[in-house]
Structures are given as C-alpha cells and as structure tokens.
C-alpha cells in the first residue's frame, strides 16, 4: 500500500461550516471517506491541528517513512518559518494544497513559507486538490526512476 499522510492546519476542522462560499459545504471527514474509496491502493493517515508546533511535529513524524505528504498549513502557510523549515528538513516529498485560490485573495495569502520547499503546489481547485496530489504520488510510485 502506498502510504500518504494528509496534514491540515488551523480552522480546517471547520470545513463545511466555515465560510462555505470560499471553502465549500463538505466536511473534511466526509471528503476523506470518499478519498479512501476512490484510492483503495492508498493508506491515508490524517492529522489536523490548530497548533503550529503540532503541525511541525506531524511533518517530522511522517517525514521519513511515507511516500508523500499532502500539506495544507492553512493560515500558517503565510506566517510560519518553523513549518517551512520542517518541510525542508524531511525526506518525504510534500505537495502543498490550498482549497481556495490564495493568489486571488488578500495580498498576505500570496506569501508561502512552504511552496519553495515542496515538490509542487495545488491551489484553488477545492478539495479536488487533495485527490490530484494523491494521483501525483501514485504516478510517481509507478514511474521508472
Ligand atoms: C487555505 C488558504 C489560507 O490562506 C487560509 O488561511 C486557510 C485555508 C486554503 O486551503 O484555501 O485557512 O489554506
């Protein structure tokens, strides 16, 4: 089984209730159930925290033993040097995902401390971004190295 960790940052526990016009109507838990059904060959680990240091610890914990990490640090994307450093410190490739198009919103959302340290970023494609990141890790695992 391909091992993928999904790590979500602050306020993403409120998906479905939080600004649905920006973030949609689905809770992440419901979406995750569908994601698991859509990708039966993947073993997903899911972690969400509103606390910066816990996100750093989750990145470190999964950073040496997974095929990939899908990381949405939420607001910490724009502020956290510690999370950027954690992404740079690990071996597991990270795909940064944002549900909304951060480039079409306030200027402070255009700064990311994780983009340059990630293999790539998917922004503005809704929850589908997590599925697209999963597809990339599956394709990578199957590719001739
Ligand atoms: C977000 C975008 C961030 O700017 C914001 O602070 C979030 C969610 C997104 O997924 O669109 O909390 O990461």
């Amino acid at each position: 089984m391909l091992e993928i960790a999904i790590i979500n940052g602050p306020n993403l526990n409120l998906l479905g209730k939080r600004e649905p016009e920006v973030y949609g109507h689905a809770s992440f838990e419901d979406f995750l159930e569908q994601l698991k059904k859509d990708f039966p060959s993947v073993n997903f680990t899911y972690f969400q925290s509103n606390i910066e240091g816990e996100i750093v610890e989750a990145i470190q914990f999964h950073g040496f033993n997974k095929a990939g990490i899908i990381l949405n640090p939420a607001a910490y994307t724009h502020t956290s040097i510690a999370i950027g450093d954690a992404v740079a410190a690990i071996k597991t490739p990270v795909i940064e995902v944002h549900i909304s198009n951060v480039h079409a919103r306030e200027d402070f959302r255009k700064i990311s401390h994780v983009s340059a340290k990630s293999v790539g970023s998917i922004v503005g494609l809704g929850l589908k971004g997590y599925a697209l990141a999963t597809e990339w890790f599956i394709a990578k695992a199957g590719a001739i190295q």
Side-chain angles (χ1 to χ4, degrees), residues 21-60:
E21 66 288 359
V22 179
Y23 298 112
H25 292 272
S27 74
F28 199 82
E29 285 70 19
D30 288 348
F31 170 74
L32 187 59
E33 284 314 302
Q34 190 57 49
L35 194 67
K36 286 177 179 170
K37 284 184 193 142
D38 291 346
F39 295 99
S41 66
V42 176
N43 187 31
F44 289 100
T45 306
Y46 175 55
F47 178 76
Q48 186 278 332
S49 177
N50 297 322
I51 299 167
E52 184 177 11
E54 289 187 354
I55 296 166
V56 170
E57 286 181 350
I59 293 166
Q60 292 184 4

Side-chain angles (χ1 to χ4, degrees), residues 4 26 64 67 75 110-111:
I4 294 179
F64 298 89
K110 293 177 183 153
I111 292 168

Side-chain angles (χ1 to χ4, degrees), residues 12 28 31 35 40 79 81 89-92 96 106 113 127 129 141:
L12 293 172
F28 199 82
F31 170 74
L35 194 67
T79 61
I81 293 168
I90 60 171
K91 292 270 177 272
T92 301
E96 175 190 18
E106 301 95 327
H113 290 282
L127 288 169

